[in-house]
Amino acid sequence: MASPIVRTERLTRSFGSLMAVAEVDFAVERGELRSIIGPNGAGKTTFFRLISGEMAPSAGRIWFDGREITGLSQHRVSRLGVAKSYQITNIFPHLSVLENVRVAAQTYRLSFNFWGRAVSLVGIRDKAGAILKQVGLWNKRGLLAAHLSHGEQRHLELGIALSTDPTLLLLDEPTAGMSPEETDETIHLIRRSAEGRTVILIAHKMKVVMNISDRTTVLHQGQVLADGTPAEIRANVLVQQTYLGIAK
């Protein structure tokens, strides 16, 4: 049986006396779409930061694609094939939609040579254009990113993440602040983006979790409360008592 593409062992992160993530054992199979849910303060975003290298663990170990990545910096983890979107939209507002994706793709290709040889880089603009078509923003490629709607900006951020050709895509609250229509569109977009890669997302909207996930992990007070299929999570009495009663 193939080993998980992501695995943690007793992963822990403390802030003084506060244990944000407490000895979490976690595994995701290659090609899986996993949701992580839990109340505010459950440790979800901290857990993402540990996997992406944005934050070092206090204890425990992390493996990605058969390699231990515990303590590696974020740019080194990114180079291995991990991309992350943020809970707060993170784009270049004063660049065009196309340039946002082009700069991200070029940066990944040239190791932070942002502006050099932009026109001569074979395939970069074509790749950026293809990604914008994938996320539904091709017709707005010439607009400044600041002029996009909130939902469109989140889709652009997803396009920026996809420009690095990630094996693992980490999405932190990808539908936060969206209308029901935008949420439905984003669910379809995430499904398309998951083809050929592994996706882990943090979500609060149960519609997203139930409609999109292969499996769901519930965090509570920094620990794994439950893990299973969406149907198993919905039927779990402890999860109902702890989380689903307040989830929207």
Side-chain angles (χ1 to χ4, degrees):
M1 183 176 178
S3 60
I5 190 169
V6 180
R7 182 167 68 91
T8 71
E9 181 181 288
R10 301 177 67 86
L11 190 62
T12 299
R13 175 67 197 204
S14 61
F15 299 93
S17 60
L18 173 64
M19 194 74 71
V21 175
E23 298 188 343
V24 168
D25 293 332
F26 177 84
V28 174
E29 301 300 325
R30 188 178 302 275
E32 184 179 337
L33 203 162
R34 174 74 64 95
S35 292
I36 299 176
I37 64 174
N40 289 333
K44 303 182 298 296
T45 296
T46 300
F47 183 67
F48 254 28
R49 289 173 176 165
L50 295 173
I51 293 175
S52 68
E54 190 175 348
M55 180 182 292
S58 303
R61 304 172 73 183
I62 309 167
W63 288 267
F64 170 67
D65 205 12
R67 171 177 176 173
E68 184 168 3
I69 62 170
T70 310
L72 290 186
S73 63
Q74 188 173 14
H75 79 270
R76 291 182 66 188
V77 174
S78 174
R79 286 286 171 180
L80 295 176
V82 178
K84 178 177 180 289
S85 76
Y86 291 83
Q87 187 172 2
I88 298 173
T89 306
N90 191 20
I91 60 175
F92 298 104
H94 301 299
L95 292 181
S96 73
V97 171
L98 178 61
E99 287 298 282
N100 264 267
V101 179
R102 195 275 298 168
V103 166
Q106 180 181 331
T107 300
Y108 187 74
R109 176 85 59 90
L110 296 182
S111 300
F112 307 106
N113 181 6
F114 276 88
W115 310 109
R117 298 185 294 124
V119 176
S120 64
L121 285 172
V122 177
I124 288 288
R125 290 181 68 87
D126 289 342
K127 177 179 179 180
I131 290 171
L132 290 182
K133 291 175 183 177
Q134 180 180 350
V135 300
L137 292 174
W138 172 250
N139 291 337
K140 299 190 176 183
R141 61 191 179 279
L143 286 180
L144 291 182
H147 295 163
L148 296 176
S149 70
H150 171 70
E152 290 168 339
Q153 288 183 355
R154 296 311 303 261
H155 293 175
L156 175 58
E157 187 178 29
L158 178 56
I160 291 170
L162 292 174
S163 72
T164 64
D165 296 321
T167 304
L168 172 64
L169 187 58
L170 305 174
L171 304 177
D172 193 350
E173 296 278 8
T175 63
M178 290 187 181
S179 68
E181 294 76 15
E182 289 175 326
T183 297
D184 287 341
E185 185 178 350
T186 302
I187 288 173
H188 293 305
L189 175 56
I190 292 171
R191 281 177 176 153
R192 293 196 302 271
S193 302
E195 295 177 1
R197 59 175 54 89
T198 306
V199 177
I200 308 174
L201 63 91
I202 292 172
H204 274 299
K205 297 178 181 178
M206 294 311 298
K207 177 180 180 180
V208 175
V209 173
M210 296 302 167
N211 286 348
I212 205 171
S213 311
D214 296 317
R215 294 184 66 84
T216 299
T217 299
V218 184
L219 291 183
H220 180 61
Q221 296 180 347
Q223 297 179 312
V224 175
L225 181 70
D227 185 282
T229 66
E232 290 169 342
I233 294 301
R234 184 182 287 279
N236 187 299
V237 174
L238 185 58
V239 174
Q240 291 173 2
Q241 295 172 342
T242 304
Y243 178 64
L244 291 184
I246 61 173
K248 302 297 183 183

